[in-house]
Amino acid sequence: MLLYNKHKKNHTSKGNRILISVTVLGSAGPIRFVAYEGDLVASIIDTALKCYAREGRLPILGSDFNDFLLYCPVAGPEALRPWNTIGSLGARNFMLCRKPEEKKLGDGGDRRPNSTINGGRKGGGSWKTWINKSFSLKIPSH
């Protein structure tokens, strides 16, 4: 009984365990795993990428957590900072997206996201734009 209590105290230093659900943009369904409330967002991204690769999901993402951003629909349209704790938001559902790649254009030295160059969708058809429009909560008048 004494060992059980000592073991329990060591785990409470990180906080309570929570079930995290991470939806990867472009994947079939969410990845679910248990994490501690005190875990950093960067470690959650790393764990999600490892689970994604272990399950053999497509499209293949890679393993560098620095190439990805984690979003929380409850917290707003901004990406979560990698050094924040995951339990500070009080949310359990997240979305994992690849960081937009920047590509240098011609002579002007202008840098723009790769998705808007040659064949990108017009009108900013990203999910982030959709979330921003959803938060605006405009009520049309008749």
Side-chain angles (χ1 to χ4, degrees):
M1 187 67 160
L2 181 62
L3 292 175
Y4 176 74
N5 291 337
K6 184 183 261 187
H7 182 69
K8 191 174 181 181
K9 286 182 183 179
N10 289 338
H11 286 295
T12 58
S13 63
K14 287 187 173 182
N16 295 330
R17 291 184 294 180
I18 55 175
L19 180 64
I20 300 288
S21 179
V22 178
T23 302
V24 179
L25 194 63
S27 182
I31 299 168
R32 292 181 183 92
F33 56 92
V34 176
Y36 288 100
E37 288 180 336
D39 287 345
L40 298 179
V41 169
S43 68
I44 297 298
I45 294 172
D46 188 43
T47 303
L49 290 173
K50 288 177 182 175
C51 290
Y52 187 90
R54 189 178 323 123
E55 292 176 11
R57 294 186 180 217
L58 295 175
I60 298 173
L61 298 177
S63 60
D64 188 11
F65 65 90
N66 293 317
D67 294 340
F68 295 90
L69 297 171
L70 193 67
Y71 293 90
C72 178
V74 176
E78 296 297 319
L80 302 176
R81 293 187 176 96
W83 55 84
N84 287 352
T85 58
I86 202 71
S88 65
L89 301 169
R92 305 290 188 260
N93 299 319
F94 302 93
M95 183 175 285
L96 183 68
C97 301
R98 189 176 294 274
K99 285 184 182 177
E101 296 177 14
E102 293 184 358
K103 191 172 186 179
K104 192 169 184 170
L105 293 178
D107 301 331
D110 187 22
R111 296 178 70 88
R112 295 187 182 165
N114 201 14
S115 62
T116 59
I117 301 171
N118 295 336
R121 288 191 274 183
K122 291 185 178 180
S126 69
W127 74 270
K128 192 171 180 181
T129 304
W130 178 81
I131 287 179
N132 285 334
K133 287 180 183 179
S134 298
F135 284 136
S136 66
L137 300 174
K138 293 180 183 175
I139 300 173
S141 60
H142 295 196

PDB file of all heavy atoms in Angstrom, residues 23-36:
ATOM      1  N   THR A  23      -7.154  15.681 -34.677  1.00  0.00           N
ATOM      2  CA  THR A  23      -7.551  15.447 -36.058  1.00  0.00           C
ATOM      3  C   THR A  23      -6.469  16.022 -36.952  1.00  0.00           C
ATOM      4  O   THR A  23      -6.125  17.202 -36.848  1.00  0.00           O
ATOM      5  CB  THR A  23      -8.893  16.129 -36.365  1.00  0.00           C
ATOM      6  OG1 THR A  23      -9.870  15.623 -35.459  1.00  0.00           O
ATOM      7  CG2 THR A  23      -9.330  15.872 -37.785  1.00  0.00           C
ATOM      8  N   VAL A  24      -5.927  15.192 -37.827  1.00  0.00           N
ATOM      9  CA  VAL A  24      -4.903  15.634 -38.768  1.00  0.00           C
ATOM     10  C   VAL A  24      -5.604  16.065 -40.042  1.00  0.00           C
ATOM     11  O   VAL A  24      -6.411  15.320 -40.599  1.00  0.00           O
ATOM     12  CB  VAL A  24      -3.889  14.502 -39.053  1.00  0.00           C
ATOM     13  CG1 VAL A  24      -2.841  14.952 -40.056  1.00  0.00           C
ATOM     14  CG2 VAL A  24      -3.242  14.053 -37.761  1.00  0.00           C
ATOM     15  N   LEU A  25      -5.304  17.284 -40.481  1.00  0.00           N
ATOM     16  CA  LEU A  25      -5.924  17.815 -41.682  1.00  0.00           C
ATOM     17  C   LEU A  25      -5.589  16.925 -42.871  1.00  0.00           C
ATOM     18  O   LEU A  25      -4.424  16.676 -43.163  1.00  0.00           O
ATOM     19  CB  LEU A  25      -5.441  19.248 -41.929  1.00  0.00           C
ATOM     20  CG  LEU A  25      -6.222  20.061 -42.929  1.00  0.00           C
ATOM     21  CD1 LEU A  25      -7.657  20.265 -42.450  1.00  0.00           C
ATOM     22  CD2 LEU A  25      -5.574  21.413 -43.156  1.00  0.00           C
ATOM     23  N   GLY A  26      -6.598  16.393 -43.530  1.00  0.00           N
ATOM     24  CA  GLY A  26      -6.414  15.522 -44.685  1.00  0.00           C
ATOM     25  C   GLY A  26      -6.434  14.041 -44.354  1.00  0.00           C
ATOM     26  O   GLY A  26      -6.322  13.210 -45.237  1.00  0.00           O
ATOM     27  N   SER A  27      -6.578  13.681 -43.081  1.00  0.00           N
ATOM     28  CA  SER A  27      -6.609  12.283 -42.682  1.00  0.00           C
ATOM     29  C   SER A  27      -8.052  11.833 -42.452  1.00  0.00           C
ATOM     30  O   SER A  27      -8.955  12.659 -42.323  1.00  0.00           O
ATOM     31  CB  SER A  27      -5.798  12.095 -41.403  1.00  0.00           C
ATOM     32  OG  SER A  27      -5.772  10.736 -41.035  1.00  0.00           O
ATOM     33  N   ALA A  28      -8.227  10.539 -42.386  1.00  0.00           N
ATOM     34  CA  ALA A  28      -9.572   9.966 -42.299  1.00  0.00           C
ATOM     35  C   ALA A  28     -10.266  10.212 -40.964  1.00  0.00           C
ATOM     36  O   ALA A  28     -11.468  10.414 -40.922  1.00  0.00           O
ATOM     37  CB  ALA A  28      -9.501   8.467 -42.568  1.00  0.00           C
ATOM     38  N   GLY A  29      -9.550  10.204 -39.884  1.00  0.00           N
ATOM     39  CA  GLY A  29     -10.189  10.348 -38.584  1.00  0.00           C
ATOM     40  C   GLY A  29      -9.209  10.799 -37.533  1.00  0.00           C
ATOM     41  O   GLY A  29      -8.012  10.900 -37.786  1.00  0.00           O
ATOM     42  N   PRO A  30      -9.691  11.068 -36.327  1.00  0.00           N
ATOM     43  CA  PRO A  30      -8.809  11.577 -35.274  1.00  0.00           C
ATOM     44  C   PRO A  30      -7.926  10.496 -34.668  1.00  0.00           C
ATOM     45  O   PRO A  30      -8.227   9.313 -34.729  1.00  0.00           O
ATOM     46  CB  PRO A  30      -9.787  12.119 -34.237  1.00  0.00           C
ATOM     47  CG  PRO A  30     -11.015  11.320 -34.423  1.00  0.00           C
ATOM     48  CD  PRO A  30     -11.090  11.007 -35.888  1.00  0.00           C
ATOM     49  N   ILE A  31      -6.834  10.944 -34.069  1.00  0.00           N
ATOM     50  CA  ILE A  31      -5.934  10.091 -33.304  1.00  0.00           C
ATOM     51  C   ILE A  31      -6.236  10.370 -31.837  1.00  0.00           C
ATOM     52  O   ILE A  31      -6.324  11.526 -31.425  1.00  0.00           O
ATOM     53  CB  ILE A  31      -4.472  10.435 -33.608  1.00  0.00           C
ATOM     54  CG1 ILE A  31      -4.172  10.202 -35.085  1.00  0.00           C
ATOM     55  CG2 ILE A  31      -3.520   9.647 -32.735  1.00  0.00           C
ATOM     56  CD1 ILE A  31      -2.862  10.779 -35.532  1.00  0.00           C
ATOM     57  N   ARG A  32      -6.397   9.318 -31.060  1.00  0.00           N
ATOM     58  CA  ARG A  32      -6.710   9.486 -29.640  1.00  0.00           C
ATOM     59  C   ARG A  32      -5.614   8.839 -28.803  1.00  0.00           C
ATOM     60  O   ARG A  32      -5.198   7.712 -29.076  1.00  0.00           O
ATOM     61  CB  ARG A  32      -8.056   8.851 -29.321  1.00  0.00           C
ATOM     62  CG  ARG A  32      -9.204   9.588 -29.950  1.00  0.00           C
ATOM     63  CD  ARG A  32     -10.536   8.945 -29.595  1.00  0.00           C
ATOM     64  NE  ARG A  32     -11.621   9.627 -30.255  1.00  0.00           N
ATOM     65  CZ  ARG A  32     -12.117   9.276 -31.437  1.00  0.00           C
ATOM     66  NH1 ARG A  32     -11.625   8.244 -32.089  1.00  0.00           N
ATOM     67  NH2 ARG A  32     -13.112   9.959 -31.976  1.00  0.00           N
ATOM     68  N   PHE A  33      -5.174   9.570 -27.797  1.00  0.00           N
ATOM     69  CA  PHE A  33      -4.181   9.027 -26.872  1.00  0.00           C
ATOM     70  C   PHE A  33      -4.288   9.762 -25.539  1.00  0.00           C
ATOM     71  O   PHE A  33      -4.898  10.822 -25.445  1.00  0.00           O
ATOM     72  CB  PHE A  33      -2.759   9.117 -27.448  1.00  0.00           C
ATOM     73  CG  PHE A  33      -2.331  10.502 -27.841  1.00  0.00           C
ATOM     74  CD1 PHE A  33      -1.662  11.319 -26.953  1.00  0.00           C
ATOM     75  CD2 PHE A  33      -2.590  10.971 -29.125  1.00  0.00           C
ATOM     76  CE1 PHE A  33      -1.266  12.588 -27.327  1.00  0.00           C
ATOM     77  CE2 PHE A  33      -2.188  12.239 -29.504  1.00  0.00           C
ATOM     78  CZ  PHE A  33      -1.526  13.048 -28.601  1.00  0.00           C
ATOM     79  N   VAL A  34      -3.698   9.166 -24.508  1.00  0.00           N
ATOM     80  CA  VAL A  34      -3.737   9.730 -23.169  1.00  0.00           C
ATOM     81  C   VAL A  34      -2.487  10.570 -22.950  1.00  0.00           C
ATOM     82  O   VAL A  34      -1.378  10.161 -23.294  1.00  0.00           O
ATOM     83  CB  VAL A  34      -3.830   8.616 -22.107  1.00  0.00           C
ATOM     84  CG1 VAL A  34      -3.763   9.196 -20.709  1.00  0.00           C
ATOM     85  CG2 VAL A  34      -5.105   7.823 -22.293  1.00  0.00           C
ATOM     86  N   ALA A  35      -2.683  11.765 -22.377  1.00  0.00           N
ATOM     87  CA  ALA A  35      -1.573  12.666 -22.070  1.00  0.00           C
ATOM     88  C   ALA A  35      -1.799  13.257 -20.687  1.00  0.00           C
ATOM     89  O   ALA A  35      -2.884  13.140 -20.118  1.00  0.00           O
ATOM     90  CB  ALA A  35      -1.492  13.769 -23.119  1.00  0.00           C
ATOM     91  N   TYR A  36      -0.785  13.881 -20.160  1.00  0.00           N
ATOM     92  CA  TYR A  36      -0.905  14.588 -18.894  1.00  0.00           C
ATOM     93  C   TYR A  36      -1.252  16.048 -19.155  1.00  0.00           C
ATOM     94  O   TYR A  36      -0.854  16.617 -20.167  1.00  0.00           O
ATOM     95  CB  TYR A  36       0.409  14.522 -18.105  1.00  0.00           C
ATOM     96  CG  TYR A  36       0.687  13.156 -17.535  1.00  0.00           C
ATOM     97  CD1 TYR A  36       1.570  12.290 -18.159  1.00  0.00           C
ATOM     98  CD2 TYR A  36       0.056  12.737 -16.378  1.00  0.00           C
ATOM     99  CE1 TYR A  36       1.826  11.038 -17.635  1.00  0.00           C
ATOM    100  CE2 TYR A  36       0.302  11.483 -15.846  1.00  0.00           C
ATOM    101  CZ  TYR A  36       1.180  10.636 -16.494  1.00  0.00           C
ATOM    102  OH  TYR A  36       1.419   9.392 -15.965  1.00  0.00           O
TER     103      TYR A  36
END
